[in-house]
């Protein structure tokens, strides 16, 4: 049927019709909320490059996670800021069963048992070099790092983590972590793999938040080249084959084509990480009065669903969930 019988605008006539024919929807269950944790008591520290986002001590992180739950959020992704004196080249502190991550997981699981707790698994917050792996002669060692990541994952599982989320991009780590979890008696602990994680400038504000910027060089020998998409598909398929329960693409908006390609290549759920720099851009433009923050947030988030993402890690999780509840 052609114009004038076919008129695309008929389906846009009223809010009710538009609601009926919407192809994608956001729901609070779509969101994973990152939570930054620091040592101390009653600490709530602002992060300069991430307006309205904070680092919390464990006691206040519990209140924060409770309020995320009240907003309808089902999952949190924990990151810790490690004091400089505990950093070394082999991730010793990452394996400490009484370390900040392990204590945080225990406390949150106990206080809010329904919340799905995911933990970041990578060495950079623990590394004196700010790299995601063990450094030798200026190179990042793959296999030695994978061994530590597997032990770190078991340590998080012991503390009660529901999912471990390796964000390091070493080769073979998903298989090694899966095997270590099985052997350690944690068959139900899941793995959300950062499968296609690009070497991106958009992580800048996050590195401020955790004081984890690389001390030398960059992360290009392990994180992916932004020019590649077939490689992302291969990484995601490899991780799925090694036992990843969820695969992730990161960053978000500049990589929607990658989300779509990965969605079509794997059967496991696909997550996308709407990263710190993307958050900061919206916040900064909104502060200047150049963009409407809420509309920019919702339009970004629905774009992830349209591209094929099942889950969205985003610093807007609470705000978006609250908005969805009230509308
Ligand atoms: C570190 C890690 C990073 C992020 C999540 N885990 C930074 C990096 O790789 O340098 C970025 C998150 C964000 O920017 O929001 N393994």
């Amino acid at each position: 049927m052609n114009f004038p019988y076919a008129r695309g605008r008929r389906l846009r006539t009223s809010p009710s019709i538009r609601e009926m024919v919407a192809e994608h929807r956001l729901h609070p269950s779509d969101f994973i909320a990152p939570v930054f944790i620091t040592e101390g008591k009653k600490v709530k520290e602002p992060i300069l490059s991430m307006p309205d986002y904070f680092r919390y001590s464990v006691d206040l992180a519990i209140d924060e996670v409770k309020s995320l739950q009240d907003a309808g959020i089902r999952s949190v992704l924990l990151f810790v800021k490690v004091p400089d004196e505990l950093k070394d080249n082999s991730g010793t502190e990452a394996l400490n069963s009484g370390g900040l991550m392990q204590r945080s997981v225990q406390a949150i699981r106990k206080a809010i048992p329904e919340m799905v707790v995911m933990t970041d698994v990578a060495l950079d917050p623990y590394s004196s070099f700010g790299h995601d792996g063990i450094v030798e002669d200026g190179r990042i060692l793959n296999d030695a790092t994978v061994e530590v990541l597997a032990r770190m994952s078991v340590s998080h599982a012991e503390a009660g983590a529901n999912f471990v989320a390796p964000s390091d991009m070493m080769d073979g780590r998903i298989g090694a972590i899966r095997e270590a979890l099985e052997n350690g008696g944690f068959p139900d602990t899941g793995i959300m793999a950062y499968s296609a994680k690009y070497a991106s400038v958009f992580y800048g504000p996050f590195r401020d938040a955790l004081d984890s910027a690389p001390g030398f060089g960059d992360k290009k020998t392990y994180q992916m080249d932004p020019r590649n998409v077939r490689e992302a598909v291969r990484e995601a398929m490899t991780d799925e084959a090694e036992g990843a329960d969820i695969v992730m693409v990161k960053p978000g908006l500049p990589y929607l084509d990658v989300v779509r390609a990965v969605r079509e290549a794997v059967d496991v759920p696909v997550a996308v990480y709407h990263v710190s720099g993307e958050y900061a851009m919206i916040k900064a433009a909104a502060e200047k009065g150049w963009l409407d923050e809420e509309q920019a947030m919702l339009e970004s988030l629905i774009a992830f669903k349209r591209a094929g993402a099942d889950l969205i890690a985003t610093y807007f999780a609470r705000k978006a969930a609250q908005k969805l509840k009230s509308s």
Side-chain angles (χ1 to χ4, degrees):
M1 202 80 78
N2 290 324
F3 181 81
Y5 303 110
R7 289 178 186 266
R9 289 184 56 190
R10 269 187 218 118
L11 292 180
R12 294 174 217 141
T13 310
S14 70
S16 295
I17 296 176
R18 291 196 294 274
E19 204 53 46
M20 286 166 69
V21 301
E23 296 176 34
H24 299 281
R25 285 173 221 282
L26 289 165
H27 187 273
S29 302
D30 298 332
F31 306 132
I32 300 170
V35 178
F36 297 131
I37 303 177
T38 190
E39 287 290 1
K41 282 208 164 57
K42 300 275 169 235
V43 181
K44 179 181 179 180
E45 290 170 348
I47 300 161
L48 206 59
S49 48
M50 299 181 71
D52 302 326
Y53 226 78
F54 300 89
R55 275 186 302 258
Y56 298 97
S57 50
V58 179
D59 51 341
L60 296 191
I62 289 175
D63 299 342
E64 168 68 8
V65 175
K66 278 198 183 123
S67 93
L68 287 165
Q69 185 183 41
D70 292 341
I73 304 291
R74 300 192 187 272
S75 174
V76 290
L77 178 56
L78 307 185
F79 295 93
V80 292
K81 181 169 186 287
V82 180
D84 273 341
E85 59 273 19
L86 294 178
K87 297 185 183 187
D88 63 20
N89 186 29
S90 51
T92 309
E93 178 61 15
L95 304 176
N96 178 357
S97 59
L100 183 56
M101 178 63 91
Q102 288 82 350
R103 280 182 278 127
S104 304
V105 173
Q106 279 160 0
I108 292 168
R109 291 281 289 129
K110 183 154 177 240
I112 310 119
E114 306 81 40
M115 186 60 83
V116 176
V117 173
M118 302 185 163
T119 58
D120 184 62
V121 170
L123 292 188
D124 53 326
Y126 301 94
S127 161
S128 40
F129 291 105
H131 273 289
D132 292 40
I134 297 168
V135 177
E136 191 179 278
D137 299 332
R139 291 182 313 119
I140 316 302
L141 300 182
N142 192 87
D143 301 9
T145 300
V146 169
E147 267 182 54
V148 181
L149 297 174
R151 290 168 59 200
M152 188 176 175
S153 299
V154 171
S155 169
H156 292 181
E158 274 165 358
N162 301 100
F163 282 80
V164 293
S167 65
D168 55 288
M169 289 300 281
M170 298 300 125
D171 291 322
R173 92 276 209 217
I174 302 304
I177 290 172
R178 186 68 265 155
E179 194 179 316
L181 289 171
E182 297 298 321
N183 293 339
F186 298 102
D188 294 330
T189 306
I191 303 175
M192 180 170 77
Y194 288 64
S195 299
K197 177 172 178 178
Y198 287 84
S200 171
V201 74
F202 294 108
Y203 307 151
F206 172 97
R207 293 174 186 173
D208 290 346
L210 293 192
D211 181 27
S212 64
F216 70 88
D218 52 41
K219 298 191 173 187
K220 290 180 183 173
T221 68
Y222 44 107
Q223 298 182 348
M224 282 184 52
D225 187 325
R227 292 174 293 189
N228 297 348
V229 61
R230 291 197 308 268
E231 186 185 355
V233 169
R234 195 165 74 228
E235 289 280 1
M237 290 174 75
T238 304
D239 285 356
E240 183 182 41
E242 287 183 23
D245 299 283
I246 301 171
V247 297
M248 184 150 73
V249 173
K250 177 183 178 186
L253 284 190
Y255 296 87
L256 291 183
D257 58 321
V258 180
V259 174
R260 168 54 54 193
V262 168
R263 167 69 290 159
E264 284 169 8
V266 301
D267 292 319
V268 292
V270 176
V272 62
Y273 202 137
H274 187 214
V275 302
S276 57
E278 301 178 76
Y279 175 82
M281 288 196 292
I282 291 178
K283 282 289 191 182
E287 264 175 26
K288 284 189 171 278
W290 291 349
L291 274 183
D292 179 277
E293 177 177 336
E294 205 170 277
Q295 298 301 319
M297 164 186 85
L298 291 173
E299 191 174 327
S300 301
L301 296 174
I302 199 65
F304 296 129
K305 298 293 291 278
R306 200 185 61 238
D310 301 289
L311 293 164
I312 306 165
T314 176
Y315 302 99
F316 285 116
R318 177 219 298 283
K319 187 168 183 161
Q322 283 169 340
K323 170 73 190 160
L324 294 169
K325 266 198 165 176
S326 68
S327 58

